[in-house]
Amino acid sequence: EAGVTQFPSHSVIEKGQTVTLRCDPISGHDNLYWYRRVMGKEIKFLLHFVKESKQDESGMPNNRFLAERTGGTYSTLKVQPAELEDSGVYFCASSHSGRGTGELFFGEGSRLTVL
Amino acid sequence: DQQVKQNSPSLSVQEGRISILNCDYTNSMFDYFLWYKKYPAEGPTFLISISSIKDKNEDGRFTVFLNKSAKHLSLHIVPSQPGDSAVYFCAASTHNYGQNFVFGPGTRLSVLP
């Protein structure tokens, strides 16, 4: 079974440009989360989808960030325009419906560098 | 304001000895706790969890202890192995469907051969 996959693994862009990160969750996982880790600090919650609906987007830093999950499968996270402080590693995670063990399965992350 | 704290950014332990990683939380509504392990350039992987109805959960070399009154949990690794060297994240959530997990800043464990 394929795990959570993220693309690209690393993106380097200039301030003001746009970047779109993609996440393919584990097949059958209704829950999809985006997290961000900046400068080796804690992994911070950005938002949570249940299928195609945004369950919680309280962690989104501002309106330069737009997440979508059309059809309840893969998700994209767009940053437009990117700022220097957006640099970090963006993790996607997925899990089964309901709580179960509560285990989140993480992707390897997309490292974003804004110059 | 960090709701989940891991006050030791790093820890070094000799191979074969016990590693103890600590985690404190401030939100008394948290009732489910997890530990994740992260190697460089990889995503975090689930290690062990504990519900607030328990005070201990064991899985092989890994044991998590929960002290609800102190809002403190710890992860014990016995015996420690060099392959355990990684960053360990403590995470907490409330028992609501879809509630997000709050992560601590992580503790880097180095197990010396």
Side-chain angles (χ1 to χ4, degrees):
Chain A
E1 178 183 283
V4 177
T5 57
Q6 293 187 244
F7 182 83
S9 57
H10 192 187
S11 180
V12 182
I13 61 173
E14 293 189 348
K15 175 182 171 181
Q17 290 186 317
T18 298
V19 64
T20 300
L21 310 176
R22 172 172 171 142
C23 169
D24 287 80
I26 292 173
S27 177
H29 281 192
D30 288 338
N31 294 300
L32 187 149
Y33 301 80
W34 283 99
Y35 283 85
R36 178 173 72 171
R37 189 177 189 215
V38 174
M39 291 292 290
K41 295 184 179 177
E42 70 266 30
I43 300 171
K44 281 199 168 181
F45 169 81
L46 295 178
L47 89 160
H48 170 211
F49 284 99
V50 177
K51 297 184 181 178
E52 68 275 10
S53 299
K54 290 178 185 174
Q55 180 79 12
D56 181 354
E57 52 183 330
S58 61
M60 294 287 264
N62 51 61
N63 59 10
R64 296 185 294 103
F65 289 75
L66 175 63
E68 294 179 326
R69 193 183 182 194
T70 307
T73 55
Y74 72 90
S75 174
T76 57
L77 179 64
K78 181 191 285 188
V79 184
Q80 178 184 32
E83 298 289 344
L84 298 178
E85 64 265 24
D86 300 333
S87 295
V89 181
Y90 290 78
F91 290 105
C92 176
S94 69
S95 70
H96 290 290
S97 297
R99 286 299 300 273
T101 64
E103 178 182 350
L104 297 182
F105 295 83
F106 280 85
E108 294 187 347
S110 291
R111 179 176 295 279
L112 173 63
T113 302
V114 182
L115 304 175
Chain B
D1 179 38
Q2 279 189 357
Q3 296 188 69
V4 178
K5 302 176 184 180
Q6 294 176 257
N7 292 322
S8 297
S10 63
L11 173 69
S12 291
V13 170
Q14 207 69 35
E15 180 179 4
R17 306 293 290 268
I18 183 172
S19 295
I20 301 177
L21 297 102
N22 293 304
C23 176
D24 297 283
Y25 60 96
T26 58
N27 188 343
S28 58
M29 297 298 291
F30 287 145
D31 59 1
Y32 193 74
F33 306 89
L34 306 92
W35 284 93
Y36 279 82
K37 179 164 96 171
K38 183 185 177 308
Y39 292 118
E42 294 184 10
T45 54
F46 172 76
L47 197 56
I48 192 169
S49 65
I50 188 166
S51 164
S52 61
I53 62 173
K54 294 185 174 182
D55 54 17
K56 175 182 175 182
N57 189 25
E58 195 170 350
D59 183 2
R61 296 186 297 114
F62 302 92
T63 303
V64 56
F65 295 92
L66 174 63
N67 182 334
K68 290 187 290 293
S69 60
K71 295 192 182 71
H72 176 84
L73 63 157
S74 60
L75 174 68
H76 293 211
I77 306 174
V78 183
S80 302
Q81 299 173 355
D84 296 329
S85 297
V87 178
Y88 289 79
F89 291 95
C90 171
S93 74
T94 61
H95 195 69
N96 291 320
Y97 174 74
Q99 185 68 29
N100 73 77
F101 291 87
V102 181
F103 283 79
T107 296
R108 181 178 300 278
L109 173 66
S110 299
V111 180
L112 309 173

